[in-house]
Amino acid sequence: MRQDEWRQSRDLRLDALRDPDAAIAFLDTYERASTQSDEFWAERTANASEGAGAAQFVAEHDGALVGTVTVLIREAGAIDHLDRAVDDARADVVGVFVRPSHRGDGTIDALFDAAATWAGDVGAIVMTLDVHEENARARAAYLRNGFTPTGETIAGPIGPEIVMARPVGRE
């Protein structure tokens, strides 16, 4: 995602928050997100397009954004987005969304591969994510893309979640 594409990033995020499964997929709501200022969206996109702490990857088809994955680098000793202490450095995957018209066509696979490459390039050895235990579609996509349950479950703000991890393939 490039910094000047904040409007497209905002629109994709708002569409994601309207998805029927949004309540068990995201820690935000359409109602809250839609009230955010243009400055908020521009800063959010800038943060994910610069530096080594975060990156947003998007898939495009015929000039329209059709999917996204964001990766947040967590250093050991940091606190993550759910206020958990980070024991070992990792790359957290958040904000995963693919438009229904592009589900099952390899879009999510390409996004995860790009995210893993970037995470490895900035020094991460593992990507992690949390998935609601009732979000079977997401869990299946994550399993297909090399994420496996770590055995840890959490009582997250949207309900019970399974922690999954994927090595990024650094040798």
Side-chain angles (χ1 to χ4, degrees):
M1 193 86 229
R2 293 184 312 266
Q3 184 174 353
D4 64 339
E5 297 174 314
W6 67 267
R7 286 177 183 84
Q8 295 96 316
S9 178
R10 174 200 59 205
D11 294 348
L12 186 62
R13 177 65 174 182
L14 292 176
D15 286 349
L17 293 171
R18 283 190 209 103
D19 188 85
D21 287 334
I24 60 169
F26 301 109
L27 302 179
D28 201 356
T29 65
Y30 174 81
E31 292 73 24
R32 193 199 71 73
S34 64
T35 66
Q36 296 291 350
S37 68
D38 289 351
E39 292 77 22
F40 168 86
W41 293 106
E43 182 178 337
R44 178 183 168 117
T45 304
N47 289 341
S49 66
E50 303 171 350
Q56 180 181 8
F57 298 90
V58 294
E60 187 177 317
H61 181 76
D62 291 335
L65 298 184
V66 298
T68 184
V69 167
T70 298
V71 182
L72 306 173
I73 299 300
R74 309 289 190 190
E75 300 297 332
I79 301 297
D80 74 7
H81 60 288
L82 295 177
D83 294 324
R84 297 174 294 187
V86 176
D87 295 327
D88 298 310
R90 66 178 193 248
D92 284 343
V93 176
V94 298
V96 178
F97 176 69
V98 174
R99 293 188 188 281
S101 60
H102 288 273
R103 293 177 184 160
D105 70 359
T107 296
I108 193 66
D109 308 329
L111 287 166
F112 278 131
D113 288 346
T117 297
W118 179 83
D121 288 348
V122 298
I125 59 171
V126 66
M127 292 192 311
T128 63
L129 55 78
D130 307 324
V131 60
H132 194 282
E133 70 179 18
E134 294 178 14
N135 197 342
R137 184 182 71 216
R139 276 198 338 268
Y142 301 154
L143 286 167
R144 195 179 71 253
N145 276 278
F147 288 88
T148 57
T150 65
E152 180 184 1
T153 58
I154 60 170
I158 59 174
E161 298 198 61
I162 300 164
V163 179
M164 301 180 82
R166 170 188 167 169
V168 297
R170 288 176 51 95
E171 301 296 323

